RNA sequence: GCGCCUCUAGCUCAAUUGGCAGAGCAACAGACUCUUAAUCUGCAGGUUCUGGGUUCAAGUCCCAGGGGGCGUACCA
């Protein structure tokens, strides 16, 4: 059946518009209104001289009513395949059985489905097919479509929210000569004309702070970042991170910003600041609880710990709580490991865990009153780390010695330790004002607000091993 | 990386202690003028992920490989 496919089709209404605009029709009544809709044929019920179809567009499903009497090429119409794209023009009616329908007074095939669609009742249960053939999944898995619509709404809400607060969206390089701004293993690549090795960014942080040096006082980027690490329900090698920097602000300002933004976001996309994740309740309304990491840890292991605690004692505690560690770990790293293995897993949140050891936070400014610690916080929401933020290091000499300390641990075997970035130090030498910075994992935020358990469910095309012939 | 589980028709799933590989939907050919996953009749559809092995006989048991899932490690 070779049917000519037109180059365009004029749609007058979406399915959901038709359903709401004609909800007043009574059974068997015709509206007198002629409309044009387009979409995919998802169901077909052949009755002989009449046939019912269900047309789905991006908004809803609406029934088509075709009859031998009204519908041109009726034979062809009743032989359409599930999955075929149609453009239909006709009067809006309500059938005798009460279904709002478009009577097929004229129609055109807009694309033929040459492969048969999945089982119309069961859909696709094989997650591999769902991820690899997302173009089919989106049609047959309602939750999947909803999740990605919500993701889009989340992104546009965040953008307009930040814009309204005077933030400016910027784009910084994806290719980095030096991977920086986070502790992670990068992907590497090569530019032929320049003959230089480059890395895909693991974070946009250092470029964004250069922009604050440049005078853009409030900047943010929705940054796709790349980390060459394992894949799991919570990790995809490429993911989206929101980073923002605000001049003249400290980490407490950022805490207020995060709780305000996230709670308003929840209200917008979930209709409430009280949501449910994985069957558990979560109240996102501000203010969120705050507690220092040392307090939480000390309380958990029932022993007063601080950065002055002797390293032998910390090592003993690690052994005691079966937390693995390596010899080159300093007190700060040992404390962080202890906290992450013993305390963090039991937090549900939302809670701000504040003040981290300087040793594990090379870009965070020294705490104004606690020696050896920095002004940094992570928000734990639904038991997971939602964001990481701090008062930024602004002093170039301080930053240099932090980088040097990172170099040392790199030499000691830490492959993820940061590398000295001379140009970044040069930027700081021109002067960075007090600045608060934030990074939020957008994919995990979407998981939180869509109550999904796998990061693959919120990424349209997650990283998979390529199919083999 | 490591551990456990899994792979049967386009899709969703069966197949007893090892004994002729099946059903529903989709497709194909028909019937039917108000259906709602329509229904009914008929027909067709397979390298049971791949390669070895054990056996009279393997979808089923063993070995190796591949895909996928979950957990764990690294991490956000």
């Amino acid at each position: 059946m070779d049917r000519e496919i037109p180059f365009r089709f004029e749609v007058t209404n979406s399915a959901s518009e038709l359903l709401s605009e004609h909800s007043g029709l009574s059974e068997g009544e015709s509206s007198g209104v002629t409309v044009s809709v387009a979409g995919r044929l998802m169901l077909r019920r052949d009755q002989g001289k009449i046939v019912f179809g269900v047309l789905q567009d991006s908004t809803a499903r609406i029934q088509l009513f075709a009859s031998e009497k009204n519908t041109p090429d009726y034979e062809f119409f009743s032989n359409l395949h599930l999955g075929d794209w149609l453009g239909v023009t006709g009067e809006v009616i309500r059938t005798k059985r009460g279904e709002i329908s478009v009577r097929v007074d004229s129609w055109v095939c807009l694309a033929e489905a040459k492969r048969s669609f999945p089982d119309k009742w069961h859909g696709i249960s094989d997650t591999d097919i769902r991820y690899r053939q997302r173009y089919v999944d989106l049609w047959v898995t309602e939750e999947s479509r909803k999740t990605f619509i919500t993701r889009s709404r989340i992104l546009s809400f965040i953008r307009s929210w930040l814009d309204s607060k005077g933030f400016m969206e910027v784009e910084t390089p994806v290719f980095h000569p030096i991977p920086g701004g986070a502790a992670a293993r990068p992907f590497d690549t090569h530019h032929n004309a320049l003959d230089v090795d480059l890395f895909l960014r693991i974070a946009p942080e250092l470029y964004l702070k250069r922009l604050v040096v440049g005078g853009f006082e409030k900047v943010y980027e929705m940054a796709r970042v790349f980390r060459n690490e394992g894949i799991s329900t919570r990790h995809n090698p490429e993911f989206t991170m929101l980073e923002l920097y605000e001049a003249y602000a400290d980490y407490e300002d950022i805490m207020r910003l995060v709780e305000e933004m996230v709670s308003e976001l929840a209200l917008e996309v979930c209709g409430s600041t009280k949501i449910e994740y994985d069957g558990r309740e979560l109240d996102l309304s501000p203010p969120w609880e705050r507690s220092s990491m040392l307090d939480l840890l000390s309380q958990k292991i029932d022993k007063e710990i601080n950065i002055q605690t002797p390293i032998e004692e910390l090592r003993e505690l690690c052994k005691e709580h079966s937390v693995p560690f390596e010899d080159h770990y300093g007190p700060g790293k040992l404390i962080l490991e202890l906290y992450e293995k013993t305390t963090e897993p039991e937090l549900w949140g939302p809670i701000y865990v504040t003040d981290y050891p300087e040793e594990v936070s090379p870009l965070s400014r020294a705490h104004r009153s606690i020696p050896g610690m920095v002004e940094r916080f992570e928000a734990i929401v639904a038991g997971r780390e939602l964001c990481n933020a701090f008062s930024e290091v602004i002093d170039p000499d301080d930053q240099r010695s932090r980088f040097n300390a990172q170099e040392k641990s790199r030499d000691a075997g830490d492959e993820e330790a940061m590398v000295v970035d001379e140009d970044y130090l040069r930027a700081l030498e021109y002067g960075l004002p007090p600045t608060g910075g934030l990074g939020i994992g957008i994919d995990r935020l979407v998981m939180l607000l869509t109550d999904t358990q796998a990061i693959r469910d919120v990424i349209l095309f997650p990283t998979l091993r390529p199919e083999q012939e």
Side-chain angles (χ1 to χ4, degrees):
Chain A
M1 176 177 79
D2 273 339
R3 305 185 63 81
E4 208 160 300
I5 306 291
F7 284 83
R8 67 187 303 278
F9 182 80
E10 188 76 26
V11 174
T12 61
N13 298 86
S14 69
S16 69
E17 280 170 3
L18 295 178
L19 293 175
S20 57
E21 286 168 16
H22 297 276
S23 58
L25 280 176
S26 52
E27 290 168 10
E29 192 183 356
S30 299
S31 66
V33 179
T34 293
V35 299
S36 292
V37 289
R40 251 191 223 272
L41 185 68
M42 299 304 285
L43 298 171
R44 200 192 61 224
R45 296 180 283 276
D46 204 332
Q47 279 289 306
K49 294 200 170 82
I50 60 172
V51 52
F52 299 93
V54 172
L55 189 78
Q56 180 174 329
D57 68 11
S58 64
T59 64
R61 289 181 167 200
I62 191 164
Q63 181 166 274
L64 303 176
F65 177 92
S67 67
E68 199 173 34
K69 200 166 60 184
N70 289 301
T71 304
D73 294 323
Y74 178 78
E75 270 302 305
F76 279 127
F77 189 89
S78 61
N79 279 313
L80 287 168
H81 290 172
L82 300 190
D84 284 347
W85 290 80
L86 303 177
V88 170
T89 301
E91 193 176 342
V92 182
I93 61 171
R94 194 189 279 276
T95 59
K96 288 179 195 167
R97 291 298 193 86
E99 192 76 20
I100 292 174
S101 309
V102 176
R103 195 180 62 211
V104 185
D105 297 332
S106 73
W107 65 280
V108 60
C109 179
L110 299 175
E112 191 183 340
K114 292 186 173 167
R115 290 173 183 265
S116 46
F117 251 49
D119 188 289
K120 62 190 178 187
W121 182 247
H122 297 97
I124 309 174
S125 62
D126 186 334
T127 51
D128 188 41
I129 299 176
R130 292 190 45 216
Y131 300 141
R132 289 187 195 277
Q133 302 186 33
R134 190 68 91 180
Y135 37 84
V136 182
D137 178 50
L138 291 171
W139 284 100
V140 302
T141 313
E142 172 77 11
E143 309 81 64
S144 186
R145 185 170 50 248
K146 277 189 184 158
T147 296
F148 290 108
I149 291 170
T150 302
R151 181 177 179 128
S152 174
R153 289 174 59 208
I154 288 169
L155 288 174
S156 67
F157 179 90
I158 291 173
R159 284 197 165 95
S160 63
W161 192 89
L162 289 173
D163 292 346
S164 75
K165 301 279 177 191
F167 281 87
M168 175 172 119
E169 182 172 12
V170 296
E171 293 171 283
T172 63
V174 170
F175 291 137
H176 287 190
I178 299 168
R185 217 163 293 171
F187 286 90
D188 47 27
T189 185
H190 185 81
H191 187 272
N192 291 339
L194 294 176
D195 190 25
V196 289
D197 291 326
L198 293 167
F199 301 91
L200 300 188
R201 65 181 172 191
I202 54 176
E205 171 149 357
L206 300 184
Y207 282 95
L208 292 172
K209 281 187 281 193
R210 283 175 172 95
L211 292 177
V212 179
V213 171
F216 292 147
E217 295 164 327
K218 293 174 158 190
V219 293
Y220 73 95
E221 181 168 11
M222 285 289 182
R224 188 75 64 86
V225 298
F226 308 86
R227 298 190 183 177
N228 207 339
E229 287 155 359
I231 295 176
S232 76
T233 45
R234 284 172 283 282
H235 300 84
N236 197 63
E238 53 177 308
F239 63 101
T240 304
M241 201 158 77
L242 166 68
E243 282 204 8
L244 69 80
Y245 293 86
E246 179 175 358
Y248 323 126
D250 66 7
Y251 75 147
E252 298 206 17
D253 292 305
I254 303 299
M255 284 187 231
R256 285 188 286 273
L257 182 149
V258 169
E259 64 196 12
E260 191 186 338
M261 182 175 79
V262 171
S263 59
E264 287 183 29
L265 174 62
L267 196 58
E268 169 74 14
V269 303
C270 306
S272 169
T273 53
K274 289 189 176 63
I275 65 171
E276 201 171 277
Y277 186 78
D278 201 13
R280 276 183 76 177
E281 289 211 346
L282 190 66
D283 186 352
L284 295 170
S285 34
W288 295 356
E289 189 185 341
R290 298 183 189 190
S291 202
S292 87
M293 195 194 80
L294 287 176
D295 286 350
L296 288 168
L297 175 60
S298 300
Q299 198 180 332
K300 169 67 191 173
I301 64 176
D302 201 24
K303 186 169 176 45
E304 198 62 35
I305 294 292
N306 61 47
I307 199 70
Q308 276 82 36
T309 303
I311 194 163
E312 296 76 24
E313 203 171 311
L314 292 171
R315 286 174 176 158
E316 273 311 305
L317 282 167
C318 282
K319 284 178 192 159
E320 202 177 302
H321 293 88
S322 20
V323 174
F325 62 90
E326 292 174 31
D327 291 342
H328 65 267
Y329 287 5
K333 178 74 170 163
L334 290 169
I335 287 173
L336 183 70
E337 290 296 316
L338 270 171
Y339 158 75
E340 284 183 348
K341 297 292 187 300
T342 64
T343 311
E344 193 181 89
E346 291 177 13
L347 298 174
W348 178 251
I351 178 173
Y352 287 127
V353 180
T354 65
D355 303 335
Y356 284 67
E358 180 180 312
E359 180 189 340
V360 295
S361 314
L363 302 167
S364 310
R365 186 169 176 178
H367 197 282
R368 64 195 74 184
S369 56
I370 311 174
M373 303 296 277
V374 295
E375 297 200 352
R376 170 183 168 189
F377 73 86
E378 291 187 356
I380 302 294
V381 181
R384 298 195 186 142
E385 202 180 299
L386 178 74
C387 71
N388 186 18
F390 31 87
S391 300
E392 304 293 335
V393 170
I394 58 172
D395 178 57
D397 298 330
D398 184 16
Q399 187 64 72
R400 182 177 292 279
S401 64
R402 304 291 196 93
F403 276 151
N404 288 340
Q406 286 287 302
E407 290 273 275
K408 267 192 195 159
S409 55
R410 172 169 284 268
D411 293 342
D414 182 358
E415 285 182 60
E416 296 178 343
M418 291 182 194
V419 179
V420 181
D421 185 333
E422 287 294 343
D423 175 69
Y424 179 66
L425 292 170
R426 178 167 62 187
L428 292 186
E429 283 164 9
Y430 279 98
L432 174 68
T435 297
L438 165 71
I440 295 188
I442 291 295
D443 311 274
R444 291 183 179 179
L445 178 63
V446 175
M447 287 168 69
L448 178 73
L449 295 176
T450 56
D451 196 12
T452 44
Q453 317 304 320
I455 198 167
R456 286 175 167 180
D457 292 327
V458 301
I459 293 176
L460 281 166
F461 299 100
T463 306
L464 300 173
R465 198 178 295 273
E467 276 182 285
Q468 302 199 325
E469 286 304 313

